Amino acid sequence: MSVKYIVGTNPKTGESLVGEFPISGKEEVNTIMKDAWKAWQEYRDFSGKKKGQFLRTIAEEIEQAEGLVERVMEESGLPEGRVRGERGRTCNQLRLFASLVEEGSWVEATIDKAQQDRQPIPKADIRKMLYPTGPVVVFTASNFPLAFSTAGGDTASALASGNPVVVKAHESHPGTNDIVSKAILRAAEKIGMPEGVFATVYGQGYETGQQLVLHPLTKAVAFTGSLRGGKALYDLAGKRAEPIPVFAEMGSVNPIFILPNKLKANSDGLATQMAQSVNLGVGQFCTNPGILVVLDNEDIPGFTSSLKEAFSQISPSCMLNAGIFDNFEKKKKHILDQEGVQSEYEFNGNGSAPNGRPAVGSVLADQFLKNGDLQEEVFGPFTLLVKCKNQEELLKVARQFEGQLTATIMGQDDEVLAHKELFNILREKVGRLIFNGVPTGVEVCHSMQHGGPFPATTDGRFTSVGTAAIKRFARPLAYQNCPDALLPDELKEANPLGISRVVDGKLEA
Ligand code: NAP
């Protein structure tokens, strides 16, 4: 039987990198899922302290993993500073989830005590908390080879909630995946985790990923990537005999509304700020501001010139892989070719593949409102300036947006307050509404919401960044009149973990 492998590719040179990563066949995927299921029988009952120790050890192993930074750079074309920063973010994220589960109150323990003498019927003792769903399959992102990848937020939150994880490696960085997977497995061994608590598979084409989604022992899926990919996996999961949740984060155009007084007061500064945000990481962020909405007045020609000037300071840089580069150039051209769209700036120097050439387009709002293609994400250093003739048109543009991860209002204090309707429209559309800032840069914290109404994600009630991401992989489970000895520690009468609980409707911290 011939063994098939995938190899990593250096996007800068197109050369294959060392290392061959075997593609998992059907039988192997089946065994991996059975092992994950078996591991879950034990792992789901591990204490928060033990799971925390596991997550902290993963972070240590990643920090000590030899050759990791170099391999990420080779496979992604990302510069060293960014890769080191991303590794730090990944490890901090693991430690943040460790703190969350060590503290323990995240399970939302809620207790209603029995009232035997209640009339006309007695009240039962009911105790509820969040319970892990079962093995989670994680599809990793090309644009964050560490922080949204093998040991990224999805894996960290799934492990934290008590679920084994099976990672479908991204074709773009198999060597990175291999180094990080081995770090996780070393940590699992050190801490005495059950075999099967973590595994990774490599695939070619979509077969392996689809088998994982369809496998009856898979209980949830996390995905970061394209709308096409995320929606396809979501639809596939819906066709299973037992449908399961697919938490797909699929990106957006993250519109920024720049109000006129703000623009007048600091046109050059805003143009520079916009250009920096659009071009950060060669525009390969799901929070990249792909659309800027302005009121078309006498200040707009100056702002447009400043934007062009700021863009012209930026040289094309290597994109993550040949597919993303091709997609970027194709989609950018598609938008610039649309009726009424003017190309304001496009780098036309020596910007050969795979260096994404930054560009700016502009369009009048009435044209934008007629053409749905213009609000499609162009994944790369591109933004479209939408010029509205009046306030009414600006609100129409806001109303027309599909679900987004973010929207931003840039305005002077008084004009922001005067735009209550814009505020109200945007609240319906987004997971995060930003004022006088840029959407790029997503803080990993307790209050972060990185998610939004479809098509930004498949379930806008959840976030994929921050500690609340853990809730995607847990479901409420209530115990009625359950003997104290059988209850999880979180719900025992004596509260041995000392966690915050709601008892008879009152928070006991
Ligand atoms: P992608 O094409 O959606 O792939 C993400 C992962 O899902 C990969 O592992 C891919 O497998 C798998 N996959 C995709 N479609 C599938 C299907 N129908 N069945 C089974 N598996 C499937 O995303 P990408 O490669 O990271 O980038 C492509 C485009 O996605 C970009 O150009 C950009 O538009 C968008 N993107 C968005 C974000 C975001 O933050 N939301 C991040 C990155 C990219 P393979 O590895 O085998 O291809």
Side-chain angles (χ1 to χ4, degrees):
M1 198 183 80
S2 66
V3 182
K4 289 201 201 144
Y5 299 91
I6 65 166
V7 296
T9 305
N10 183 327
K12 286 186 175 161
T13 62
E15 285 166 6
S16 295
L17 296 164
V18 292
E20 292 177 329
F21 306 95
I23 292 165
S24 304
K26 273 201 161 119
E27 271 317 301
E28 195 190 341
V29 169
N30 193 28
T31 306
I32 285 172
M33 289 313 306
K34 281 185 180 163
D35 289 348
W37 185 259
K38 209 164 142 222
W40 185 56
Q41 309 304 309
E42 218 186 315
Y43 186 63
R44 64 188 173 187
D45 289 324
F46 280 8
S47 68
K49 296 257 179 307
K50 189 145 181 174
K51 285 184 289 176
Q53 204 186 358
F54 179 32
L55 295 169
R56 289 183 192 284
T57 310
I58 296 173
E60 279 162 26
E61 290 291 339
I62 289 174
E63 281 164 349
Q64 289 160 19
E66 264 181 44
L68 176 60
V69 171
E70 295 74 11
R71 183 71 191 203
V72 179
M73 289 168 63
E74 279 179 334
E75 284 187 329
S76 66
L78 293 171
E80 183 172 351
R82 154 76 197 268
V83 175
R84 287 192 184 280
E86 198 180 318
R87 184 180 61 173
R89 177 188 165 130
T90 307
C91 295
N92 289 342
Q93 202 162 244
L94 285 157
R95 292 186 173 110
L96 185 67
F97 279 108
S99 308
L100 185 79
V101 294
E102 284 159 356
E103 192 280 328
S105 303
W106 73 273
V107 298
E108 296 175 358
T110 310
I111 296 170
D112 280 285
K113 295 198 180 178
Q115 289 172 22
Q116 302 293 356
D117 54 356
R118 193 184 66 171
Q119 293 300 332
I121 47 165
K123 183 180 177 189
D125 180 284
I126 303 176
R127 296 170 185 243
K128 181 170 79 167
M129 64 177 271
L130 295 175
Y131 179 78
T133 50
V136 176
V137 166
V138 172
F139 285 81
T140 60
S142 54
N143 58 339
F144 280 93
L146 295 172
F148 281 77
S149 217
T150 316
D154 289 337
T155 297
S157 51
L159 288 175
S161 55
N163 297 298
V165 168
V166 177
V167 164
K168 154 67 180 63
H170 200 288
E171 275 192 334
S172 220
H173 51 262
T176 303
N177 179 70
D178 181 57
I179 297 174
V180 177
S181 292
K182 285 176 176 156
I184 298 173
L185 291 171
R186 278 197 302 277
E189 204 182 334
K190 271 192 186 168
I191 304 303
M193 289 292 146
E195 208 172 304
V197 73
F198 175 85
T200 186
V201 299
Y202 299 90
Q204 195 174 46
Y206 295 150
E207 211 178 311
T208 315
Q210 291 176 354
Q211 194 196 342
L212 284 168
V213 172
L214 290 174
H215 199 284
L217 297 178
T218 299
K219 295 299 167 194
V221 174
F223 169 96
T224 307
S226 63
L227 172 59
R228 210 171 59 148
K231 185 66 171 49
L233 296 175
Y234 178 83
D235 291 343
L236 189 66
K239 289 188 188 134
R240 291 169 42 122
E242 176 204 0
I244 50 168
V246 174
F247 300 101
E249 192 262 271
M250 302 172 293
S252 61
V253 289
N254 306 293
I256 298 187
F257 290 78
I258 309 176
L259 302 180
N261 295 345
K262 180 82 175 178
L263 191 139
K264 189 183 272 309
N266 185 18
S267 179
D268 287 356
L270 278 172
T272 305
Q273 192 182 15
M274 295 301 114
Q276 283 169 350
S277 180
V278 172
N279 286 283
L280 193 69
V282 203
Q284 299 165 117
F285 288 128
C286 44
T287 49
N288 185 45
I291 292 184
L292 310 178
V293 186
V294 292
L295 268 187
D296 199 6
N297 62 18
E298 70 282 0
D299 297 320
I300 296 308
F303 175 69
T304 311
S305 307
S306 306
L307 199 57
K308 291 191 225 175
E309 173 60 25
F311 262 72
S312 71
Q313 307 297 316
I314 293 156
S315 304
S317 299
C318 182
M319 297 195 80
L320 291 158
N321 60 46
I324 285 185
F325 170 78
D326 288 345
N327 241 349
F328 170 62
E329 290 295 331
K330 228 184 278 161
K331 285 201 156 181
K332 179 177 67 175
K333 182 169 182 320
H334 177 69
I335 300 290
L336 292 173
D337 283 351
Q338 296 299 297
E339 193 184 340
V341 175
Q342 177 151 350
S343 172
E344 296 290 354
Y345 172 81
E346 188 168 15
F347 186 93
N348 60 6
N350 184 17
S352 59
N355 293 338
R357 290 175 297 126
V360 181
S362 74
V363 66
L364 295 178
D366 63 347
Q367 197 61 36
F368 178 82
L369 289 165
K370 280 190 248 165
N371 185 347
D373 283 12
L374 295 180
Q375 54 165 305
E376 278 178 17
E377 182 187 29
V378 178
F379 195 67
F382 173 77
T383 198
L384 182 67
L385 189 64
V386 178
K387 299 189 261 188
C388 308
K389 61 174 180 287
N390 53 34
Q391 183 69 14
E392 199 186 319
E393 206 171 49
L394 184 123
L395 295 178
K396 264 191 197 157
V397 168
R399 270 188 211 104
Q400 171 130 329
F401 279 114
E402 299 180 304
Q404 302 287 329
L405 292 170
T406 76
T408 302
I409 301 176
M410 300 287 245
Q412 308 277 48
D413 292 350
D414 55 344
E415 67 180 343
V416 169
L417 295 181
H419 280 76
K420 190 73 197 283
E421 194 165 353
L422 177 63
F423 171 82
N424 278 331
I425 296 168
L426 294 179
R427 282 199 298 175
E428 283 173 23
K429 308 278 181 181
V430 305
R432 181 163 57 112
L433 187 52
I434 300 160
F435 296 87
N436 291 319
V438 289
T440 40
V442 184
E443 184 73 32
V444 182
C445 59
H446 306 292
S447 51
M448 179 47 69
Q449 176 59 22
H450 189 64
F454 183 83
T457 71
T458 47
D459 195 338
R461 293 171 301 167
F462 295 91
T463 177
S464 61
V465 175
T467 50
I470 197 170
K471 296 206 182 139
R472 294 173 300 168
F473 310 120
R475 65 180 175 88
L477 171 61
Y479 301 83
Q480 185 162 330
N481 290 340
C482 179
D484 202 62
L486 277 184
L487 283 170
D489 284 351
E490 288 87 345
L491 295 178
K492 283 195 164 74
E493 186 60 22
N495 191 9
L497 301 176
I499 60 172
S500 301
R501 315 195 292 187
V502 174
V503 180
D504 290 331
K506 289 206 182 78
L507 179 66
E508 293 187 354

